[in-house]
Amino acid sequence: MRDTPLKSAFRPLIVLVAALLAVMPFLASCRKNSENQAARKRIVPVTAGEIVKKTLPVQVSAIGTVEELARVEVRSQVGGVLKEVYFTEGQFVRQGAPLFLIDPGPYEASLEKVEGSRSKDRSTVLQARASYERTLKEEPQARANYEKALAQVSQAEAVLKKDTVQAQNAAVLEKRYADLIEKGFTTQADYDQYRTNAEALKATVESDRASLANAKAGVRAARADFERAVANSRATRETIGQAQGALAMSTADVKSARIDLGFCSITSPIEGRTGSYNIDRGNVIKANDTNPLVVINKVRPIYVSFTVPEKWLPEIKKYSDLGTLKVEAATREEGKKGEKGKLVFIDNAVDTTTGTIRLKGLFQNRDLSLWPGQFVDVSLTLTVHPDVTVAPRDAVQSGQKGDYVFIVKEGGTVDLRIVKTGLTVGEETEILEGVSPGEKIVTDGFQKLAPGTAVEIKNPEKPPGSRGGLKE
């Protein structure tokens, strides 16, 4: 069928309309996708935490230095050749464990020598005691002899006195009878009898005087013997003293030699970790050398020393008087838990140059996570605030009207809340007013937020732990 001129004129228009009708669904779909993309651009990605109710510790934070509980520089107290080394560098040793051995030969010889001298001195003491006991027995006998001689003198004097009286009486009678015989009043026989008696008594007196002289000589001899016995006793007693003195000196020499011999074996005075030793086998060691043979550090338990501003001193004293304060020391190792300890030392003066007070915590350090000279983060817990509302520290922002937070509502939008804050401990801040436990709170992504802004929570965080220090 042939087209009329009118149909030929409208053919292009019909084709255009058909084409438009064909592309309209596609254009509508593109428009819808564009609107959805714009809507998505208005959703702000944020991270969020949660308002919780918990016990909040009040802590003071500081940077601390780990210090060994004890440090011993091991030196030799005797000189000699180093014969043995019983440990390896860096080894843990127990108290009393052998460390070094110095050649004991010269000291064993010296001990044998002084022990010989002591044996000789002990024999001398025994001999002196035997002599003393012997003189002690002689002294009483000499005393008895002296006393006996004195008695004999007294007896001789008494006899002489008696015989002298009798001789004098006999002499008087002899003279009387001599007068009577001249006058013829008595016989010659009677006179001869009295004269003979007088002469006999006179001879007896002379004999008594000789006996008295002999008795006195005996006293002198007995006295000399007694004095000699006393002198011998005193001398032997002094000999015992001298011998005992020599024995004491030789005994002291033996003790000293044994001590020196004992010093040849050097043991660990404490339990701890050894450092490097500064001398090898075969070298000669000097007694009490300035350079130690090895240094041993006691690292279990261990100290952590740290300083805090002096303004905390009243609070520290207050709470330490109520009980032992807990201290936590954490190394910079990622994922490593802090070591628990207790406060054991508060310095007796504030450092006037820095305005700080020095403290020490004691840690058991069973896993050796703390090492002498290491820097650690220290948290001193003064007390705890029970049952308080806390939020992540990063969620709290400061504005012209005070501190505020963004709360994520159920519809996925945010609301701005003015809050009143309290303590900040580590990664958490105490919220006194403005929020309730259980509410979600924005912790990052505040730049594009305003009340009513839609948000999308990505990688929501759990409330961090309370490790850290009190924010000033």
Side-chain angles (χ1 to χ4, degrees):
M1 182 178 176
R2 296 182 60 186
D3 292 336
T4 62
L6 182 59
K7 286 184 178 180
S8 298
F10 281 98
R11 188 180 297 276
L13 180 60
I14 293 171
V15 174
L16 178 61
V17 170
L20 290 174
L21 291 174
V23 300
M24 280 182 67
F26 175 74
L27 293 175
S29 176
C30 290
R31 179 182 176 184
K32 186 176 181 180
N33 290 337
S34 178
E35 288 176 353
N36 290 339
Q37 290 177 359
R40 281 196 295 269
K41 288 182 179 179
R42 290 195 296 270
I43 298 176
V44 178
V46 296
T47 60
E50 186 177 351
I51 305 295
V52 295
K53 209 158 184 83
K54 63 182 296 185
T55 296
L56 187 67
V58 179
Q59 297 176 320
V60 181
S61 63
I63 302 297
T65 304
V66 181
E67 298 178 355
E68 62 276 359
L69 188 69
R71 171 186 168 89
V72 176
E73 296 182 348
V74 179
R75 292 180 172 85
S76 175
Q77 294 180 273
V78 293
V81 177
L82 182 61
K83 195 172 183 180
E84 294 291 343
V85 178
Y86 295 111
F87 67 98
T88 57
E89 295 177 325
Q91 177 183 340
F92 277 94
V93 293
R94 294 187 177 275
Q95 183 177 0
L99 300 177
F100 302 97
L101 177 65
I102 297 172
D103 185 9
Y107 297 96
E108 290 172 345
S110 177
L111 177 60
E112 291 177 359
K113 181 178 179 181
V114 294
E115 282 181 339
S117 298
R118 185 179 64 172
S119 297
K120 181 180 178 181
D121 292 338
R122 185 180 285 116
S123 298
T124 303
V125 169
L126 294 176
Q127 292 174 2
R129 285 177 178 173
S131 298
Y132 179 61
E133 290 174 358
R134 190 165 54 250
T135 56
L136 283 180
K137 292 178 181 179
E138 293 174 354
E139 184 178 337
Q141 183 63 42
R143 181 188 294 273
N145 293 337
Y146 176 54
E147 291 175 351
K148 181 179 179 181
L150 289 175
Q152 289 175 348
V153 168
S154 298
Q155 183 179 3
E157 287 177 344
V159 171
L160 175 61
K161 184 177 180 181
K162 182 188 72 172
D163 290 345
T164 299
V165 172
Q166 289 179 352
Q168 290 175 349
N169 292 333
V172 170
L173 290 174
E174 188 268 334
K175 185 178 180 182
R176 181 180 300 170
Y177 273 90
D179 292 341
L180 289 175
I181 200 171
E182 288 180 0
K183 294 179 179 181
F185 294 145
T186 185
T187 64
Q188 184 67 37
D190 290 337
Y191 169 74
D192 289 340
Q193 182 180 357
Y194 281 106
R195 182 173 59 80
T196 302
N197 187 34
E199 289 177 352
L201 289 173
K202 184 177 179 181
T204 299
V205 168
E206 293 298 328
S207 177
D208 290 342
R209 285 175 179 170
S211 297
L212 178 59
N214 290 333
K216 287 182 177 180
V219 166
R220 287 192 296 270
R223 181 175 180 179
D225 291 341
F226 174 64
E227 290 177 349
R228 185 164 47 253
V230 171
N232 289 338
S233 176
R234 185 181 296 112
T236 53
R237 187 166 59 246
E238 291 176 356
T239 301
I240 290 176
Q242 294 172 357
Q244 287 178 335
L247 178 60
M249 291 182 63
S250 59
T251 301
D253 291 339
V254 169
K255 185 177 180 180
S256 177
R258 285 179 177 170
I259 291 174
D260 288 343
L261 180 59
F263 285 152
C264 290
S265 178
I266 302 174
T267 59
S268 176
I270 62 172
E271 178 183 352
R273 184 181 176 93
T274 62
S276 60
Y277 49 80
N278 301 320
I279 192 168
D280 295 319
R281 295 177 183 85
N283 287 288
V284 176
I285 294 176
K286 294 180 180 179
N288 299 311
D289 197 359
T290 54
N291 295 322
L293 300 177
V294 69
V295 176
I296 302 176
N297 288 335
K298 186 174 180 61
V299 294
R300 284 188 298 204
I302 202 166
Y303 285 130
V304 172
S305 176
F306 59 100
T307 60
V308 299
E310 62 177 304
K311 68 179 182 179
W312 294 113
L313 181 57
E315 295 294 317
I316 294 172
K317 290 171 59 180
K318 171 186 173 182
Y319 290 111
S320 64
D321 289 342
L322 299 177
T324 303
L325 299 184
K326 296 180 180 179
V327 184
E328 183 175 346
T331 62
R332 305 297 172 85
E333 184 179 351
E334 186 175 354
K336 187 72 173 179
K337 292 184 178 180
E339 184 83 9
K340 307 292 184 181
K342 61 182 179 180
L343 185 68
V344 295
F345 172 73
I346 303 174
D347 206 350
N348 59 0
V350 173
D351 189 337
T352 56
T353 59
T354 60
T356 58
I357 183 72
R358 185 166 176 259
L359 311 173
K360 277 187 181 182
L362 181 65
F363 299 82
Q364 293 304 314
N365 199 29
R366 292 185 178 89
D367 61 353
L368 299 176
S369 60
L370 302 178
W371 212 249
Q374 189 178 29
F375 291 102
V376 291
D377 295 323
V378 180
S379 296
L380 171 64
T381 302
L382 301 179
T383 185
V384 292
H385 290 175
D387 203 25
V388 296
T389 301
V390 298
R393 182 184 64 181
D394 295 339
V396 181
Q397 305 295 306
S398 297
Q400 294 179 351
K401 295 182 179 181
D403 293 336
Y404 66 90
V405 297
F406 283 103
I407 298 295
V408 181
K409 298 191 295 185
E410 290 185 2
T413 60
V414 295
D415 185 24
L416 187 146
R417 300 266 188 92
I418 301 297
V419 295
K420 181 178 180 182
T421 61
L423 295 173
T424 295
V425 178
E427 300 299 325
E428 295 177 328
T429 297
E430 181 182 8
I431 307 296
L432 303 177
E433 295 178 4
V435 296
S436 300
E439 292 184 304
K440 289 190 177 298
I441 187 170
V442 177
T443 58
D444 192 19
F446 306 99
Q447 295 81 359
K448 298 180 181 181
L449 294 185
T453 301
V455 297
E456 180 183 3
I457 299 176
K458 293 187 176 181
N459 301 323
E461 300 175 348
K462 294 182 179 180
S466 60
R467 197 188 76 185
L470 186 65
K471 184 178 179 181
E472 301 179 25

